[in-house]
Amino acid sequence: MKALVTNGQRDAAVRDWPTPIPLPDEVVVRPLLVGMCGTDVELIDGSVDPAYAHYPLVLGHEWVGQLVSDVNEIGVAGCRVVVEGIVPCGKCAACQRGATNLCSTYDEIGFTRPGAMAELVAAPRSLVHPIDDAVALDDAVLVEPMAVVWRALTRLPLRNGLSVAVIGDGTIALLAAYLVSALSPADVTIVGQREAQRALARRTGAANFTLDTPTARFDLVIEAAGTVASVRTALDRCARGGTVILLGLPPHGSRVEIAPDDLVNNDIIVQASFSYTRDAFADVVHHLNTRQWQPSFLLTHHYPLASADAAVAALRTGDLGSPRGKVVVDLSV
Ligand SMILES: [Zn+2]
Ligand SMILES: [Zn+2]
């Protein structure tokens, strides 16, 4: 079969790859639509921590597909499914308490095992979730980044009616602005980096989009730009009694100065979040299947697998004068 393969040496090419032979507890899924993100670029460039990638690697960790054959308790052949990427061992202490994102054995589809940029993928049956026929593929393909955001938003209880700032205007930031509506916030301000993102930002439901550092302080600040400057802004713009959620990933080794007395005096919670748990993923699937969330407006770039190079190029630099939301590769054509 064909697959998009990288060796982590700034290379990625469609080439022949062995057709998966499922283990007894696995099912075979045919990917239909696969999203790409900055992490895929880092995998191609070999800049991720070696513990988190096995090369050569089939890319693809954000995806929706269909069952190749009937599977009891999941669906019939052709049924649309999404698949959790993190494969938890289920036995370690972290898994036992539900923190499957922290499983002591890191294993993830599209990182340490073959991903979805391929004609077929084998996946553990317990990680496969059916998607309702009425859900658009363009909505379902965003399940993985939504799970990342949703886990961060639900890790600690947050009250309704908060003033919210989201720092950043990439897909994770825009999804955060969209999903935070579940908390019925008083208002949401997106602190963006590019004017071209304004229209996409407004479609998230955020009341405000600004390129300037706000002078106001906010009850909840979500940092999703992943730079040292944006982390500093997030900490600085949090109101007394507020919460800062760190979702962005600044370059490894970055340092940010903090004023601990301000954090103490202002009673501030700083919460970081890694990936997603099984519970968060299932919760997002439920919101999709009940049509509560329809984030497909974030898809701006579509490519066939044969043009995967163009998808990677769009992620690397793109056209800074035009909007960029999620970049997807369509394997159904
Ligand atoms: Zn991703
Ligand atoms: Zn585990």
Side-chain angles (χ1 to χ4, degrees):
M1 67 172 188
K2 297 292 182 195
L4 180 65
V5 182
T6 180
N7 289 299
Q9 294 167 351
R10 297 186 68 83
D11 62 317
V14 177
R15 58 177 238 210
D16 291 326
W17 186 265
T19 301
I21 300 165
L23 298 171
D25 66 337
E26 291 182 333
V27 298
V28 177
V29 182
R30 182 186 308 284
L32 296 172
L33 202 56
V34 185
M36 295 194 86
C37 72
T39 303
D40 290 300
V41 175
E42 289 171 12
L43 287 166
I44 292 167
D45 290 350
S47 60
V48 298
D49 185 327
Y52 293 88
H54 288 177
Y55 296 106
L57 172 67
V58 178
L59 293 164
H61 61 274
E62 306 177 7
W63 59 294
V64 54
Q66 64 185 163
L67 292 180
V68 168
S69 53
D70 296 358
V71 180
N72 285 345
E73 279 131 44
I74 299 176
V76 297
C79 164
R80 291 159 164 195
V81 294
V82 290
V83 181
E84 293 173 55
I86 294 179
V87 182
C89 77
K91 301 186 190 83
C92 72
C95 283
Q96 290 290 318
R97 65 171 195 273
T100 48
N101 58 328
L102 305 179
C103 177
S104 60
T105 311
Y106 174 74
D107 192 9
E108 187 167 5
I109 295 168
F111 292 84
T112 50
R113 53 169 75 197
M117 290 284 187
E119 291 178 54
L120 298 169
V121 180
R125 163 196 298 254
S126 63
L127 305 183
V128 180
H129 301 252
I131 286 288
D132 199 272
D133 285 343
V135 176
L137 290 178
D138 285 358
D139 288 321
V141 72
L142 289 163
V143 64
E144 197 267 0
M146 282 198 287
V148 170
V149 171
W150 191 237
R151 194 277 173 164
L153 289 177
T154 54
R155 183 177 188 185
L156 295 174
L158 291 165
R159 63 184 164 84
N160 289 347
L162 303 173
S163 64
V164 178
V166 178
I167 316 288
D169 56 17
T171 307
I172 288 288
L174 298 174
L175 280 173
Y178 181 65
L179 299 188
V180 81
S181 67
L183 298 176
S184 303
D187 57 77
V188 178
T189 297
I190 295 177
V191 183
Q193 295 166 313
R194 291 195 302 129
E195 177 60 31
Q197 296 295 80
R198 181 181 294 273
L200 271 181
R202 293 308 285 265
R203 292 192 67 183
T204 65
N208 310 302
F209 177 84
T210 177
L211 300 178
D212 302 321
T213 302
T215 52
R217 289 178 183 263
F218 301 85
D219 302 317
L220 172 61
V221 186
I222 302 168
E223 197 299 299
T227 68
V228 166
S230 59
V231 172
R232 196 178 289 134
T233 300
L235 293 169
D236 185 55
R237 292 295 93 201
C238 188
R240 289 201 85 196
T243 302
V244 177
I245 292 178
L246 301 179
L247 266 177
L249 209 52
H252 182 63
S254 304
R255 292 283 183 275
V256 178
E257 277 190 17
I258 62 165
D261 62 324
D262 283 346
L263 294 178
V264 173
N265 286 331
N266 291 324
D267 200 33
I268 284 171
I269 295 170
V270 180
Q271 182 215 299
S273 183
F274 170 71
S275 196
Y276 53 87
T277 58
R278 299 209 62 190
D279 286 350
F281 195 96
D283 219 12
V284 170
V285 171
H286 173 74
H287 282 85
L288 279 169
N289 279 337
T290 52
R291 314 305 309 282
Q292 295 174 78
W293 291 341
Q294 296 174 48
S296 58
F297 62 87
L298 285 170
L299 271 59
T300 53
H301 293 61
H302 289 77
Y303 300 92
L305 183 61
S307 302
D309 280 0
V312 175
L315 276 171
R316 280 192 192 280
T317 55
D319 172 3
L320 294 179
S322 57
R324 188 183 69 200
K326 178 52 67 183
V327 174
V328 295
V329 173
D330 191 343
L331 286 106
S332 69
V333 292

